[in-house]
């Protein structure tokens, strides 16, 4: 048993030494990072001459070429057409406070002001989505899905599946798990997003990001503690910079608010992240806020794990980690999102959704159906936050 475990550890060290270094770099500034970073960096330097990391990277590149990867950064790197377009795009992506190339001066002024605006005290649970311009005949609407694992897990997969059935929509992936806006020293979205999108000119960008941002970070060698006044203003500026960049091509932006989390300390941090993002997004006429709590939270707006189906069963809305959506949870939002992206889509009416019309976001001039008008396959609103013991036991055994 010991030899097996030791062999496993050695294999991980050999194959994932660069991954361990990335993990150490992502750690929040503190004692653990101070110890882990030099140790794994030294280990990675020792192992690099063996060429194992390069061989692994080439293998993953080949897998991506065969379509076996959803890593948008890797796909952008190995795709010549995107790489060419990315160089010119990334050259102006480092500009700040809404001065990205192609950004209308008025929009830039709005986002400069948004980066300095007082942070709101709360985020609304009910919003309106201004309708998009009609889809041009013969030209699918280009929609970019951007963000961290909140996009990659559940939400993005569900949306890609539904959009794949609609000839009027073309989806581009631009998400990367384990990233965020708080730590450009680890993953700089202002550089990486243009590389992911390349020469494409998206019509809509849907953003789900921020779950990894509830941490302290370094600025000019100083640690800014999470939630401090200086941290909040710096993060607010980074949100504004990112928003300016993604809409610099003229795209409309839909910012997906983070849902309530199971862990209360983590939920409090996410609440601050949401409030800062909403402060910026709500002041931008080209961006809209999407309240996910309207669909997956309980009546009080708190974390909810399960919902009841018409036949009395339970469906899991949130992943066992208490953070991400399940596809079933994401499906509660798909009908409205599909209707917003393409009002002519017939498939949007068949998507399963949660009939809590008093809380759901609405599309201006096109009201969301009332609960009585929902498809019979819809989920019923339930105030259950935990499953019965039998179902919970089955979930643990999966």
């Amino acid at each position: 048993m010991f030899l097996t475990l030791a062999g496993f550890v050695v294999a991980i060290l050999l194959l994932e030494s660069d991954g361990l270094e990335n993990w150490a770099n992502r750690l929040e500034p503190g004692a653990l990072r101070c110890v882990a970073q030099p140790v794994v960096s030294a280990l990675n330097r020792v192992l690099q001459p063996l060429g194992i990391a390069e061989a692994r990277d080439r293998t993953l590149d080949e897998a991506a070429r065969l379509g076996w990867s959803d890593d948008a950064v890797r796909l952008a790197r190995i795709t010549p057409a995107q790489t060419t377009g990315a160089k010119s795009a990334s050259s102006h992506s480092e500009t700040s406070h809404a001065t990205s190339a192609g950004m209308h001066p008025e929009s830039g002024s709005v986002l400069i002001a948004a980066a300095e605006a007082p942070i709101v005290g709360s985020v609304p649970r009910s919003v309106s989505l201004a309708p998009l311009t009609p889809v041009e005949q013969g030209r699918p609407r280009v929609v970019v899905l951007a963000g961290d694992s909140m996009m990659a897990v559940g939400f993005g997969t569900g949306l890609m599946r539904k959009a794949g059935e609609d000839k009027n929509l073309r989806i581009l992936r631009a998400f990367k798990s384990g990233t965020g806006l708080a730590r450009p020293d680890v993953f700089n979205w202002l550089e990486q997003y243009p590389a992911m999108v390349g020469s494409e000119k998206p019509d809509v960008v849907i953003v789900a990001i921020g779950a990894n941002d509830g941490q302290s970070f370094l600025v000019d060698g100083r640690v800014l503690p999470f939630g401090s006044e200086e941290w909040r203003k710096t993060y607010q500026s980074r949100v504004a910079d990112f928003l300016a960049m993604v809409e610099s091509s003229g795209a409309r932006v839909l910012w997906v608010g983070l849902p309530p989390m199971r862990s209360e300390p983590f939920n409090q941090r996410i609440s601050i992240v949401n409030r800062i993002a909403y402060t910026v997004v709500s002041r931008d006429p080209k961006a809209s806020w999407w309240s996910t709590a309207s669909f997956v939270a309980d009546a009080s707006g708190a974390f909810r794990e399960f919902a009841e189906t018409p036949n009395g069963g339970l469906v899991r809305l949130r992943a066992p980690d208490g953070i991400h959506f399940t596809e079933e949870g994401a499906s509660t939002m798909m009908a409205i999102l599909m209707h917003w992206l393409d009002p002519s889509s017939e498939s949007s009416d068949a998507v399963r959704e949660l009939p809590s019309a008093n809380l759901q976001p609405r599309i201006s001039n096109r009201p969301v159906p009332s609960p009585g008008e929902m498809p019979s396959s819809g989920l019923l609103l339930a105030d259950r936050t935990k499953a019965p013991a039998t179902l919970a036991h089955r979930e643990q055994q999966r």
Side-chain angles (χ1 to χ4, degrees):
M1 177 65 180
F2 175 77
L3 291 178
T4 301
L5 181 60
F8 176 76
V9 171
V10 170
I12 292 296
L13 292 176
L14 290 173
L15 295 174
E16 291 289 350
S17 60
D18 55 342
L20 288 172
E21 186 171 26
N22 289 334
W23 164 78
N25 290 335
R26 285 189 172 96
L27 289 173
E28 185 172 2
L32 178 59
R33 186 171 188 263
C34 289
V35 173
Q37 195 173 37
V39 171
V40 297
S41 295
L43 176 66
N44 195 32
R45 286 195 301 272
V46 170
L47 296 177
Q48 282 299 319
L50 299 178
I52 297 175
E54 290 79 1
R56 174 182 174 275
D57 205 45
R58 287 195 298 270
T59 301
L60 292 176
D61 284 349
E62 290 304 317
R65 290 188 179 94
L66 294 173
W68 296 347
S69 174
D70 63 355
D71 187 336
V73 176
R74 184 176 298 278
L75 292 170
R77 191 179 71 236
I78 66 174
T79 305
Q82 288 187 338
T83 303
T84 301
K87 289 181 180 179
S88 61
S90 62
S91 65
H92 60 70
S93 67
E94 297 178 2
T95 56
S96 62
H97 297 304
T99 58
S100 296
M103 172 65 65
H104 192 280
E106 292 182 3
S107 298
S109 300
V110 167
L111 285 171
I112 290 174
E116 301 171 353
I119 298 171
V120 299
S122 62
V123 175
R125 295 181 61 196
S126 180
V127 296
S128 295
L129 296 180
L132 299 172
T133 57
V135 179
E136 297 179 21
Q137 187 172 6
R139 180 188 175 276
R141 173 167 281 149
V142 179
V143 181
V144 169
L145 306 183
D148 55 22
S149 59
M150 294 305 297
M151 176 61 77
V153 179
F155 190 91
T157 52
L159 189 54
M160 286 188 290
R161 180 173 290 109
K162 294 308 301 181
E165 303 169 359
D166 189 336
K167 67 180 187 306
N168 290 327
L169 299 176
R170 184 163 67 89
I171 302 296
L172 301 178
R173 294 177 295 190
F175 43 79
K176 178 73 172 176
S177 297
T179 66
L181 302 178
R183 297 288 302 280
D185 57 312
V186 174
F187 188 91
N188 192 337
W189 272 97
L190 297 186
E191 295 176 354
Q192 297 295 339
Y193 175 82
M196 294 178 186
V197 177
S199 59
E200 297 281 358
K201 300 293 184 184
D203 302 297
V204 177
V205 179
I206 302 178
V207 177
I209 199 168
N212 301 304
D213 289 344
Q215 59 174 294
S216 305
F217 50 68
L218 293 168
V219 173
D220 297 329
R222 295 184 300 112
V223 176
L224 300 189
F226 172 80
S228 64
E229 182 65 23
E230 194 172 358
W231 186 98
R232 295 183 186 215
K233 300 311 293 183
T234 301
Y235 185 73
Q236 185 174 350
S237 176
R238 290 175 179 176
V239 171
D241 290 347
F242 177 77
L243 184 56
M245 178 189 62
V246 297
E247 65 183 29
S248 63
S249 63
R252 282 280 299 277
V253 177
L254 182 66
W255 196 286
V256 180
L258 298 173
M261 305 296 177
R262 177 194 289 144
S263 166
E264 186 53 34
F266 182 51
N267 188 54
Q268 291 176 4
R269 292 192 171 221
I270 291 304
S271 175
I272 294 174
V273 171
N274 266 345
R275 285 165 48 204
I276 294 173
Y278 179 77
T279 298
V280 176
V281 172
S282 63
R283 290 172 175 266
D284 182 2
K286 295 179 63 177
S288 299
W289 181 265
W290 177 257
S291 176
T292 57
S294 304
F295 299 87
V296 298
D298 65 14
S300 68
F303 176 85
R304 182 173 59 146
E305 192 166 7
F306 294 89
E308 188 175 354
T309 62
N311 61 8
L314 290 177
V315 63
R316 180 182 283 277
L317 301 176
R318 305 292 294 278
D321 61 12
I323 297 173
H324 299 93
F325 301 108
T326 61
E327 283 202 40
E328 290 84 357
S331 73
T332 64
M333 312 173 221
M334 292 300 109
I336 297 177
L337 283 176
M338 288 295 296
H339 179 71
W340 182 65
L341 291 170
D342 180 15
S344 67
S345 173
E346 296 180 358
S347 64
S348 64
D349 296 331
V351 182
R352 189 170 45 177
E353 66 179 303
L354 189 66
S356 53
N358 61 317
L359 297 178
Q360 288 175 344
R362 296 175 177 267
I363 301 173
S364 299
N365 303 321
R366 300 187 68 93
V368 177
S370 65
E373 297 171 321
M374 291 290 182
S376 59
S377 60
L379 298 175
L380 297 179
L381 180 63
D383 289 331
R384 305 188 186 186
T385 58
K386 296 182 179 179
T390 53
L391 182 58
H393 179 67
R394 288 200 301 269
E395 289 291 338
Q396 293 172 357
Q397 291 183 324
R398 289 183 181 177

